[in-house]
Amino acid sequence: MINVCSGDIIIDLGANIGEVTSFFSRHKALVLCFEPNPYAYEHLSKRFEKYKNVKCYNKAVVGDKNKSKVKLFLHERAEEDQIKFSTGSSIIIEKNNVSKNSFFEVDSINFLDLVKSVTSTMKKNIKLVKMDVEGAEVEILENLLVEEELLGLIENMVVETHEKKIPELKDRMERIRKIIKDRKIDNINLNWI
């Protein structure tokens, strides 16, 4: 159980329409939400527009420092209901339920740069990072595990992994799990969902 207090910093990666954000905003935490899907982001930003402790960004969070824009591929059934199927959007084209022909080009921010910026600006560690980024978590985690000093700035991280929907990521995810186990890293939970 993670105790969240007023003023704690929460980063919600893949915020979608804000269900997790809603929980933490009630505890008066500062919640920074990142949602690249324009349909989900519109709903998210309207939902929290009057909350002073919630900041919403229409950006994908990535592991690659050289990408300022990425393609966000929509769920193959997105045309049926853009909000309902927004959770399946991914910047990973190999994800088995995205349309290769239906995408948006979206702004992105590098996760390591985000952690540096937030902690230096706020002068405190990040209480929690919730990461549900439909396959992009692999590259983000690979880069984070190299940057031990940045990993130390995050008290807790819960990650939904997607190697079942993106089999190409299975070996890389297994290596990440092994590194976490071998180094006894206890602030990353890969079994969140």
Side-chain angles (χ1 to χ4, degrees):
M1 183 73 158
I2 300 168
N3 292 321
V4 177
C5 302
S6 177
D8 283 344
I9 302 169
I10 309 294
I11 298 180
D12 188 352
L13 306 181
N16 196 255
I17 61 170
E19 295 307 312
V20 171
T21 294
S22 178
F23 173 79
F24 289 115
S25 70
R26 289 191 300 263
H27 292 287
K28 305 298 183 209
L30 171 62
V31 187
L32 307 175
C33 306
F34 292 83
E35 176 52 52
N37 182 292
Y39 300 104
Y41 175 77
E42 182 179 3
H43 186 90
L44 176 74
S45 62
K46 284 181 183 172
R47 181 177 183 181
F48 294 103
E49 67 187 350
K50 294 185 177 163
Y51 287 67
K52 291 184 181 184
N53 61 320
V54 176
K55 308 291 181 205
C56 300
Y57 303 92
N58 189 203
K59 292 185 176 196
V61 178
V62 299
D64 187 336
K65 287 185 177 251
N66 299 314
K67 290 183 181 173
S68 61
K69 289 200 176 278
V70 293
K71 287 182 180 177
L72 178 74
F73 298 92
L74 300 180
H75 190 280
E76 62 195 359
R77 295 177 61 193
E79 287 299 317
E80 294 173 33
D81 186 329
Q82 291 290 355
I83 298 296
K84 178 179 178 182
F85 291 103
S86 63
T87 59
S89 303
S90 179
I91 65 171
I92 309 296
I93 195 170
E94 292 85 9
K95 188 165 183 258
N96 64 12
N97 62 352
V98 297
S99 170
K100 313 302 185 235
N101 301 315
S102 184
F103 61 86
F104 288 96
E105 192 167 287
V106 297
D107 292 331
S108 66
I109 182 169
N110 174 267
F111 180 70
L112 300 181
D113 292 340
L114 174 62
V115 170
K116 288 176 194 173
S117 174
V118 168
T119 55
S120 68
T121 302
M122 301 300 292
K123 306 287 189 237
K124 63 193 302 187
N125 286 352
I126 298 164
K127 181 71 169 201
L128 174 69
V129 173
K130 183 245 52 191
M131 187 182 305
D132 182 2
V133 290
E134 304 300 313
E137 69 277 353
V138 171
E139 186 174 58
I140 291 169
L141 289 169
E142 287 171 338
N143 290 324
L144 180 61
L145 290 170
V146 173
E147 300 284 341
E148 288 189 52
E149 72 279 357
L150 292 182
L151 182 57
L153 299 175
I154 302 167
E155 294 178 29
N156 303 282
M157 179 179 280
V158 293
V159 182
E160 180 177 353
T161 66
H162 295 85
E163 65 270 25
K164 289 181 183 172
K165 291 185 180 175
I166 311 169
E168 294 85 352
L169 298 178
K170 186 177 182 204
D171 290 341
R172 291 169 67 190
M173 201 62 233
E174 284 178 14
R175 281 192 295 277
I176 290 168
R177 288 181 194 281
K178 183 174 180 349
I179 291 168
I180 290 171
K181 182 181 177 190
D182 290 350
R183 288 174 40 193
K184 296 179 175 60
I185 296 170
D186 63 359
N187 62 334
I188 300 177
N189 179 352
L190 299 178
N191 300 313
W192 177 54
I193 292 183

